[in-house]
Amino acid sequence: MPIVNHFIEIETKQGINIHNITLQIQELIESTSIKNGQALVFSRHTTTALAINEYEERLLQDVKVYLHKLAPESDRYLHNDLHLRENIPPDEPMNAHSHLMAMTLSTSEVIPIVDGKLALGTYQSVLFFELDGPRKRTIFCQISGES
Amino acid sequence: MPIVNHFIEIETKQGINIHNITLQIQELIESTSIKNGQALVFSRHTTTALAINEYEERLLQDVKVYLHKLAPESDRYLHNDLHLRENIPPDEPMNAHSHLMAMTLSTSEVIPIVDGKLALGTYQSVLFFELDGPRKRTIFCQISGES
Amino acid sequence: MPIVNHFIEIETKQGINIHNITLQIQELIESTSIKNGQALVFSRHTTTALAINEYEERLLQDVKVYLHKLAPESDRYLHNDLHLRENIPPDEPMNAHSHLMAMTLSTSEVIPIVDGKLALGTYQSVLFFELDGPRKRTIFCQISGES
């Protein structure tokens, strides 16, 4: 049963921004011989996350408002007392709220592959959330299954 | 290593309602020869979700209150301005809150199978959340592993 | 393709406490011949959960505050009316808030394995959340893939 590993690389923008990576995963599947199996998608950062939902511009704005309401950037967080932490780089950001948002969303998603395609529902897209941009980010994809 | 795909179909009720699909997944496993492996459960809609927790009637009421507190239906959401969106069907619902609840819960869960059974803890059930019913819904199950 | 199952056992402390189980999973992988594949990590209780994020002492305090803000222990919950529930043991705790926190975090995480190692990002650790301690808890790990 073949296993194909791949990194998707994304340059993100300031603050929270949401990227639709469905097509990149589908193209990766099509570059393999795998017709039946799974796509494991894994967010490799502590201030990024995944969700599988609708890529609709106004909903994406609603999600940003929602995440900021759950974990306001302006709240007091111990993680943001940079002078009290050890071994941090000089450009360490004050991003506790981004970590909390990431834990509320997902780090790993597994999506079934049927007939060589992601078996997503009609309105589902695979969404990658930058929660503390701008940065260069990587998403890990592992395609496995049978030809 | 065999891979068995199956759709579970559910007719849901008005608003938020929670369905225990553990038995259906277990019966699917027993219909295969797989004794050791995984059950991938995947919610195929943008206003449904999964969680693995206790199926206790009063707790299910608490979860509904909790989800409504996090994402109140009465809040103002851009996604609900239907007249400002393109290509939407005439029966499009105002359900931004349902999408936000779905992203807070899970879309994919992977459950280990040991000795032909879901390796769940004593009080764990696989819960399917309808967040914008009533609708006909499908849940994808993929059983894989060794006999 | 080999599949290796293992239980990690943890004795937890009072209330919410967060355990870094990354090393235990990595050692389990190294005890197998698997070099390329997946680690499925599964929290087997309804008041424990998983997250993949930074194990930084001050951030862990922020996460506890965040979870208590989302689901305050002092709120009124129907699940806590123990006298109205059936077949509950005499030491049943009033822990509805712990269930809600668990559903907000994760029950299952799948982490890719590359070259015999968890393919985590620089600051990522696998975190196990006790949300209603103290208890003896078990986490299920399934390592699968190719040598």
Side-chain angles (χ1 to χ4, degrees):
Chain A
M1 201 158 89
I3 297 174
V4 176
N5 295 322
H6 180 75
F7 288 98
I8 295 174
E9 301 195 349
I10 290 185
E11 295 214 16
T12 65
K13 296 177 193 151
Q14 180 71 30
I16 300 184
N17 43 104
I18 302 169
H19 301 256
N20 187 348
I21 59 170
T22 315
L23 189 59
Q24 283 158 283
I25 302 167
Q26 181 58 44
E27 287 175 350
L28 174 60
I29 295 168
E30 288 167 17
S31 75
T32 74
S33 64
I34 294 166
K35 298 296 178 204
N36 187 30
Q38 304 182 347
L40 163 60
V41 188
F42 190 83
S43 160
R44 292 186 77 246
H45 309 275
T46 56
T47 55
T48 66
L50 300 169
I52 296 176
N53 212 281
E54 188 176 354
Y55 188 78
E56 192 277 308
E57 196 53 53
R58 299 177 68 86
L59 179 62
L60 302 184
Q61 297 299 322
D62 292 329
V63 179
K64 290 183 202 179
V65 171
Y66 175 67
L67 292 172
H68 279 299
K69 190 185 72 168
L70 293 187
E73 188 171 353
S74 59
D75 272 12
R76 173 95 178 78
Y77 298 109
L78 298 183
H79 184 64
N80 289 348
D81 290 334
L82 305 181
H83 62 289
L84 296 176
R85 288 166 50 199
E86 289 176 13
N87 300 320
I88 60 169
D91 61 345
E92 177 73 11
M94 288 169 61
N95 61 5
H97 66 289
S98 311
H99 290 276
L100 299 176
M101 292 170 182
M103 287 188 249
T104 308
L105 297 167
S106 294
T107 299
S108 67
E109 295 280 0
V110 181
I111 307 161
I113 298 170
V114 178
D115 293 336
K117 293 195 189 312
L118 289 171
L120 294 167
T122 311
Y123 297 103
Q124 286 184 313
S125 289
V126 186
L127 308 179
F128 175 71
F129 284 67
E130 169 61 76
L131 300 165
D132 186 34
R135 311 250 197 141
K136 288 190 183 179
R137 302 294 204 171
T138 58
I139 303 146
F140 191 96
C141 291
Q142 183 176 84
I143 313 297
S144 60
E146 57 194 21
S147 300
Chain B
M1 201 159 89
I3 297 175
V4 176
N5 295 323
H6 180 75
F7 288 99
I8 295 174
E9 300 194 350
I10 291 185
E11 294 212 18
T12 65
K13 296 178 193 150
Q14 179 73 28
I16 301 185
N17 42 104
I18 303 168
H19 301 256
N20 187 348
I21 59 170
T22 315
L23 189 60
Q24 284 159 284
I25 302 167
Q26 181 59 44
E27 287 175 350
L28 174 60
I29 295 167
E30 288 167 16
S31 75
T32 74
S33 64
I34 294 166
K35 298 296 179 204
N36 188 29
Q38 303 182 349
L40 163 60
V41 188
F42 190 82
S43 159
R44 292 186 76 244
H45 308 274
T46 57
T47 54
T48 66
L50 299 169
I52 297 175
N53 212 280
E54 188 176 353
Y55 189 78
E56 192 276 308
E57 196 54 52
R58 299 177 69 85
L59 179 62
L60 302 184
Q61 297 299 322
D62 291 330
V63 179
K64 290 183 202 179
V65 171
Y66 175 67
L67 291 172
H68 279 298
K69 190 186 74 168
L70 293 187
E73 188 172 351
S74 59
D75 271 14
R76 172 94 179 79
Y77 298 108
L78 298 183
H79 184 65
N80 289 348
D81 290 334
L82 305 182
H83 62 288
L84 296 176
R85 288 166 52 199
E86 289 175 13
N87 299 321
I88 60 168
D91 60 345
E92 177 74 10
M94 288 170 59
N95 61 5
H97 65 290
S98 311
H99 290 276
L100 300 177
M101 292 170 180
M103 287 188 249
T104 307
L105 297 166
S106 294
T107 299
S108 68
E109 295 281 359
V110 182
I111 307 161
I113 297 169
V114 178
D115 294 336
K117 292 192 189 315
L118 289 170
L120 294 167
T122 310
Y123 296 104
Q124 286 183 313
S125 290
V126 186
L127 307 179
F128 175 70
F129 284 67
E130 169 61 76
L131 299 165
D132 185 35
R135 311 251 197 140
K136 289 189 184 180
R137 303 293 205 171
T138 57
I139 304 147
F140 191 98
C141 292
Q142 183 175 85
I143 312 297
S144 60
E146 58 194 21
S147 300
Chain C
M1 201 158 89
I3 297 174
V4 176
N5 295 322
H6 180 75
F7 288 99
I8 295 174
E9 300 193 350
I10 291 185
E11 295 213 18
T12 64
K13 295 177 193 151
Q14 179 72 30
I16 300 184
N17 42 105
I18 303 169
H19 301 256
N20 187 348
I21 59 170
T22 315
L23 189 59
Q24 283 159 283
I25 302 167
Q26 182 58 46
E27 287 175 351
L28 174 60
I29 296 167
E30 288 168 16
S31 75
T32 75
S33 64
I34 294 166
K35 298 296 179 204
N36 187 30
Q38 304 182 347
L40 162 60
V41 188
F42 190 83
S43 160
R44 293 186 77 246
H45 309 274
T46 57
T47 54
T48 66
L50 299 169
I52 296 175
N53 211 279
E54 188 176 354
Y55 188 77
E56 192 276 308
E57 196 53 53
R58 299 178 68 85
L59 179 62
L60 301 184
Q61 297 299 322
D62 292 330
V63 179
K64 290 182 203 178
V65 170
Y66 175 68
L67 292 172
H68 279 299
K69 190 185 72 170
L70 293 187
E73 188 172 351
S74 59
D75 272 13
R76 171 94 178 81
Y77 299 108
L78 298 183
H79 184 66
N80 289 347
D81 290 334
L82 304 183
H83 62 289
L84 298 176
R85 288 166 51 199
E86 290 175 15
N87 300 320
I88 60 169
D91 61 345
E92 177 73 11
M94 288 169 60
N95 61 5
H97 65 290
S98 311
H99 290 275
L100 300 177
M101 292 172 180
M103 287 188 248
T104 307
L105 297 166
S106 294
T107 300
S108 68
E109 296 280 359
V110 182
I111 307 161
I113 298 169
V114 179
D115 294 336
K117 292 193 191 311
L118 289 170
L120 294 166
T122 311
Y123 297 103
Q124 286 183 313
S125 290
V126 185
L127 307 179
F128 176 71
F129 284 67
E130 169 61 76
L131 300 165
D132 185 34
R135 311 251 197 140
K136 288 190 183 178
R137 302 293 206 172
T138 58
I139 303 148
F140 191 96
C141 291
Q142 183 175 85
I143 312 297
S144 61
E146 58 195 20
S147 300

